[in-house]
DNA sequence: CATATTACATGAATTTTACTCATAGGTTTA
DNA sequence: TAAACCTATGAGTAAAATTCATGTAATATG
């Protein structure tokens, strides 16, 4: 079969003028190239060169092969380079799954320096999964899962990277704004605003209201963090969010963070991976950068 | 080195789904493909596939290779096909050199059916040569020389394909128009029109006037056959041309062909080639078609 | 739920191929 | 006319590709 190797020979002879020099360039003997092309000629049924004095001149068939070589060899080389980069972890795609809405704000702070350091790595963030975050991870739809609630399971491993307090956000005028912490019963006359996910996945319910048998006046959902805070600031309800997120908006909005219960609710953002896999270098770098975001918040 | 063969494997596995089926399609064993790709993976430093159940799924590197395969394999196949056609003489270029002006009219009659029969063969006609027609032939600038005066030489071979009489063309009013043949002295008061080449290459001089020590009133040159005949028709001179060419224009112009000398001058168009070369099929076909043009003239 | 089936991996043996060495036969240059 | 080059080629050898036999794991089957 006509191989890349044959094209490399034809290209080298065209470039260096003689078989002998081409052989040197390819770290082979003149004989090797001569035998190699002879075999190709038998296979093709057409000569590649004709002797002109002591040089070789391409025949029509040979010219065709040289054209092919010029088109195709650079593509081989480029692909090999790209794969080398993939192998070294300098290039690739980092597909990140998110299971926590407010984590998005945190993720942005990790991603932007990461993209600068690894210009050839694509970051792809996904939020909706057919079989849940774990399924996506195990099914190779994503390579990394960002979640505050690690669900330990065979084949997965987690790494905590960022600890924060989950607090209630209230308008500055709210009666709990001055208190050291809020109690479940305090919210009985409030509208609670959350992201649109099942209540079981919301810590305000699972760790605060439900255990105390308390409830709110009304529960409504909003997609985006910014609107949610605007609503709270306007006195239209209260919400539960990471403390650092609230603090970032306190100078612009009339909002106050209040501890949830006497002891507060503390969470940890975890990164989840498939266990026992050799991770590309850039993925390790991402993890390192993620660990260091504490200082930024 | 990453070879076409590797890409063929990756492509076949993508197409057939499993290594085993790909192996069948490639007429190899499953083991051969497995070993082959394993070696490639070591070379690249990156895995091509990852096992998912008992199937193989491409890694990022593998996906890159598949993309390369999809781009590059069709090019290999196309080039191999084209070269096969070149080998079979169905495709190529026929570079024809011309050493005789009126032959062009004859050549057109051969070329047009030839082009129909060999749509993938390019015909390239050249008329001016740095080192003469023979030099062009031996130097591979042309593959075939059309000449009425074969100059036999080592390394060349000729084939006569078309015989014709070289005649004098005179206006219908000329006094020799009625005669059976013209004699050298008859042209003493005439203007002789020829193509612009050395007189030694013109048969009217070398075979008619010069041997008899005769000459014409004036000698002028014209490039194209049609204008030459118009001039003769208008009584502005006489010319020497193939008889069949004159006959083709007799119904439109007031011209008459007259034999040159009692015995006439008979010529033969020859095709010249480099000797001892295996000629492509289409070139042999061209020769056959050239031989059959007698009947068309 | 055990069993048959299907699919890939792997080590060893073998066949095939690629490569080198030595040398011959041309061509060009001094 | 020799010296310097260049390619072609036959024979021997090193290397690679391929097969065979077998292992292991996942999936389908009855």
């Amino acid at each position: 079969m006509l191989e890349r190797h044959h094209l490399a020979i034809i290209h080298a002879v065209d470039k260096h003028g003689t078989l002998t020099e081409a052989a040197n360039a390819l770290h082979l003997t003149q004989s090797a190239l001569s035998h190699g092309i002879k075999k190709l000629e038998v296979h093709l049924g057409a000569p590649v060169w004709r002797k002109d004095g002591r040089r070789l001149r391409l025949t029509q068939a040979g010219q065709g092969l040289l054209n092919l070589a010029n088109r195709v060899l650079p593509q081989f080389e480029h692909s090999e380079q790209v794969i080398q980069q993939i192998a070294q972890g300098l290039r690739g795609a980092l597909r990140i799954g998110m299971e926590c809405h407010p984590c998005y704000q945190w993720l942005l702070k990790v991603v932007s320096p990461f993209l600068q350091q690894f210009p050839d790595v694509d970051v792809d963030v996904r939020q909706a999964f057919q079989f849940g975050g774990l399924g996506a991870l195990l099914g190779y739809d994503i390579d990394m899962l960002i979640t505050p609630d690690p669900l330990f399971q065979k084949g997965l491993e987690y790494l905590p990277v960022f600890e924060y307090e989950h607090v209630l956000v209230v308008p500055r005028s709210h009666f709990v704004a001055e208190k050291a912490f809020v109690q479940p019963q305090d919210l009985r006359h409030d509208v609670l605003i959350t992201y649109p996910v099942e209540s079981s996945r919301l810590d305000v319910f699972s760790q605060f209201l439900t255990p105390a048998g308390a409830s709110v006046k009304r529960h409504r959902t909003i997609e985006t963090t910014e609107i949610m805070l605007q609503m709270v600031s306007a006195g239209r309800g209260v919400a539960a969010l990471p403390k650092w997120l609230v603090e970032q908006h306190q100078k612009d909005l009339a909002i106050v963070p209040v501890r949830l219960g006497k002891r507060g609710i503390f969470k940890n953002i975890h990164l989840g991976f498939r266990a026992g896999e050799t991770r590309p270098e850039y993925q390790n770098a991402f993890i390192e950068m993620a660990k260091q975001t504490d200082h930024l918040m």
Side-chain angles (χ1 to χ4, degrees), chain A:
Chain A
M1 191 158 63
L2 173 60
E3 287 290 340
R4 173 190 184 180
H5 184 228
H6 296 120
L7 298 183
I9 294 174
I10 289 165
H11 179 257
V13 171
D14 179 64
K15 183 176 171 190
H16 295 100
T18 69
L19 254 197
T20 312
E21 281 190 66
N24 289 335
L26 295 172
H27 305 296
L28 288 169
T29 61
Q30 170 268 129
S31 180
L33 305 204
S34 188
H35 280 297
I37 296 295
K38 172 110 307 164
K39 188 162 188 198
L40 176 65
E41 289 179 330
V42 170
H43 167 77
L44 294 174
V48 172
W49 288 302
R50 120 184 92 70
K51 272 187 95 159
D52 175 23
R54 59 187 183 192
R55 293 190 100 65
L56 299 172
R57 285 197 192 287
L58 289 170
T59 58
Q60 285 182 28
Q63 188 61 49
L65 291 174
L66 179 60
N67 294 342
L68 178 66
N70 287 332
R71 271 180 290 138
V72 145
L73 290 180
Q75 299 191 51
F76 272 91
E77 281 153 28
H78 179 252
S79 280
E80 271 187 329
Q81 254 182 284
V82 166
I83 288 168
Q84 223 87 51
Q85 289 183 309
I86 291 175
Q88 289 167 36
L90 299 174
R91 180 188 284 262
L94 186 56
R95 296 167 303 171
I96 299 172
M98 301 263 302
E99 273 197 329
C100 93
H101 270 80
C103 294
Y104 198 75
Q105 319 294 322
W106 168 86
L107 181 62
L108 290 176
K109 297 224 186 263
V110 191
V111 164
S112 88
F114 176 81
L115 286 175
Q116 285 211 306
Q117 196 174 324
F118 293 88
D120 290 324
V121 174
D122 289 329
V123 173
D124 193 1
V125 178
R126 305 186 190 176
Q127 304 213 48
F129 313 108
Q130 202 176 354
F131 303 108
L134 278 72
L137 202 48
L138 290 168
Y140 281 83
D141 284 329
I142 56 175
D143 302 309
M144 190 185 281
L145 180 66
I146 296 179
T147 178
D149 304 296
L151 239 166
F152 292 95
Q153 187 177 116
K154 193 190 143 206
L156 292 183
E157 94 189 63
Y158 290 94
L159 204 74
V161 289
F162 179 58
E163 196 190 29
Y164 64 91
E165 185 180 355
H166 203 59
V167 297
L168 191 74
V169 209
V170 298
R172 209 179 281 154
S173 55
H174 199 282
F175 79 95
V176 301
E178 307 292 314
K179 298 173 75 171
F181 61 91
V182 61
Q183 288 190 303
Q185 302 82 348
D186 295 340
L187 303 183
R188 149 176 43 131
H189 303 300
D190 284 292
V191 173
L192 177 62
I193 307 170
T194 72
Y195 296 109
V197 297
E198 314 105 76
S199 300
S200 60
R201 281 184 54 205
L202 294 166
D203 295 306
V204 234
F205 285 103
S206 62
Q207 295 195 41
F208 187 66
L209 295 171
T210 313
S215 65
V216 291
K217 185 175 122 202
R218 197 154 73 84
H219 175 201
R220 66 164 300 188
T221 61
I222 285 181
E223 290 259 357
T224 66
T225 309
E226 283 69 26
I227 305 294
M228 200 179 276
L229 291 171
Q230 292 284 349
M231 298 284 281
V232 172
S233 175
R236 307 276 286 267
V238 299
L241 288 173
K243 190 177 180 191
W244 57 264
L245 213 172
V246 180
E247 283 166 347
Q248 283 184 353
H249 290 85
Q250 255 189 298
K251 54 181 169 297
D252 307 317
L253 297 169
I255 55 177
V256 178
V258 187
R259 175 159 293 184
L260 281 160
K262 189 168 185 180
R263 303 213 192 120
I265 298 177
F266 290 86
K267 308 266 334 173
N268 224 320
I269 293 182
H270 286 73
L271 300 185
F273 321 94
R274 288 177 295 272
E277 265 186 19
T278 44
R279 285 190 277 278
E281 188 46 39
Y282 59 80
Q283 195 165 344
N284 292 323
F286 184 92
I287 294 167
E288 280 312 307
M289 294 168 86
K291 283 181 183 166
Q292 285 159 23
T293 45
D294 311 49
H295 314 299
L296 300 173
M297 306 279 171

